[in-house]
Amino acid sequence: MFLTSLSSGVYVFVCGIIPVLAGYLLYCLIYDKSFSVWYWIYSAGTVVTTLGGVLVNMLVTTDSKWSQMSLIPLTSFQSHFFTVILGFFELFGGVAYEETTVLSWQGIDILLRVAFVMLLLYCTMSALIRFFQKKGDLLSGMLSMIFAVNTMILFFCNTTYGSETMEYRYHLISALPAMCLTAGWFIQLYIKEVKLRRYFYMLSAFAIVFLLYCSSVKKFAEYKCNGADEQQVCDYVREADVSLVYVVMNSSAPEVMRLLDPDGAVYLYLTDLGGTAYAWDYYEEYSICIPDYENAIIILPSWYSNEESFEIEGFYYEKVLTVNGYYVYQEQNW
């Protein structure tokens, strides 16, 4: 908890730990159980370590992103409510971002994921209802409370940021207990049912996991291909042995290239040729840098220019590489 609060503030504590503590508290009240002394020890320990991490964060690092979360305004609540639900489907790839043929491989894959998400929601909501009806157990109650509390927070907080829908990664905390509850649901069916039905439920569970695994491998291969252009640029930069690379009018490309080449050149975003250069990371705002065009590489988008060479501030650049979507120019030392 100290490390998570150091990096992301109290968010994990609020969405992950408090629901567990609240689940145990409700379990003792609803099921008429006595409190364990360890409950108070664990509660005090997590609070102390969380506050310690937040304090160190404030003293030696910058403020975490959690401090920038805001409540959703009333006028946007209805649309935001459905966006949060859609985000849970989006987390598992159960949405189509463009018109997709139903019986195509991509269409079938999306439908399978939609069915899987609906199964997760059914098992989670069933566990939550059973818990309050005194038909559940402590573990399922804690897991379902994590899902409920985290989802309620997302309903009332704005997590859109740069996404067209929402930053669905915030559903990760609720997705993990949902998958655990679904696995437990299959296990309970296997235990309670007769032999023939046991085989059916077992095969169904394996079929779901196998199909999701196959489609995930395919998606992983597609994602790797999505960064192939940037990887080719980074390979050339390493061979050219330059220290500065300016990417013109594409703010996301330098971030990708820094991930692909972490120990290589410095990749900066350039607003325009002759414009301002920026360096940026997750916590800091853009920091203005004065472009130094000596012994550097400039990357232009293919739609920007198709010139074989150009001169800027007395430095002559020639096109040395053409990659799908990028033209790479290197300064020539004459």
Side-chain angles (χ1 to χ4, degrees), residues 109-183:
D109 176 44
I110 292 174
L111 291 177
L112 286 173
R113 291 173 179 272
V114 169
F116 177 68
V117 174
M118 293 179 69
L119 178 62
L120 292 179
L121 294 175
Y122 168 78
C123 294
T124 305
M125 296 308 299
S126 298
L128 185 63
I129 293 172
R130 289 197 306 270
F131 177 69
F132 283 101
Q133 291 178 341
K134 297 185 179 181
K135 298 179 181 179
D137 54 65
L138 177 59
L139 179 59
S140 63
M142 287 180 172
L143 292 174
S144 57
M145 283 297 295
I146 295 174
F147 177 88
V149 171
N150 189 66
T151 305
M152 288 298 296
I153 290 174
L154 296 180
F155 279 145
F156 290 97
C157 292
N158 184 9
T159 55
T160 303
Y161 302 130
S163 173
E164 295 182 1
T165 53
M166 69 165 292
E167 294 285 348
Y168 54 84
R169 58 190 171 87
Y170 284 99
H171 277 297
L172 283 171
I173 295 179
S174 55
L176 292 175
M179 289 189 289
C180 291
L181 290 168
T182 303

Side-chain angles (χ1 to χ4, degrees), residues 267-326:
Y267 296 86
L268 300 175
Y269 165 55
L270 203 63
T271 55
D272 201 348
L273 279 178
T276 306
Y278 295 93
W280 178 82
D281 63 25
Y282 183 74
Y283 289 104
E284 293 290 342
E285 298 292 334
Y286 282 104
S287 302
I288 300 177
C289 305
I290 300 174
D292 181 6
Y293 295 106
E294 184 178 3
N295 191 28
I297 283 179
I298 295 178
I299 302 173
L300 298 177
S302 56
W303 53 265
Y304 183 91
S305 174
N306 192 25
E307 298 179 357
E308 293 298 321
S309 62
F310 62 86
E311 186 176 346
I312 180 170
E313 296 187 8
F315 297 98
Y316 183 75
Y317 279 80
E318 282 189 356
K319 185 190 295 185
V320 293
L321 180 67
T322 298
V323 184
N324 183 29
Y326 299 108

Side-chain angles (χ1 to χ4, degrees), residues 7-9 57 62-69 161 169-170 280-285:
S7 62
S8 57
N57 176 280
T62 57
D63 289 335
S64 302
K65 287 291 184 180
W66 67 272
S67 60
Q68 301 178 13
M69 289 189 101
Y161 302 130
R169 58 190 171 87
Y170 284 99
W280 178 82
D281 63 25
Y282 183 74
Y283 289 104
E284 293 290 342
E285 298 292 334

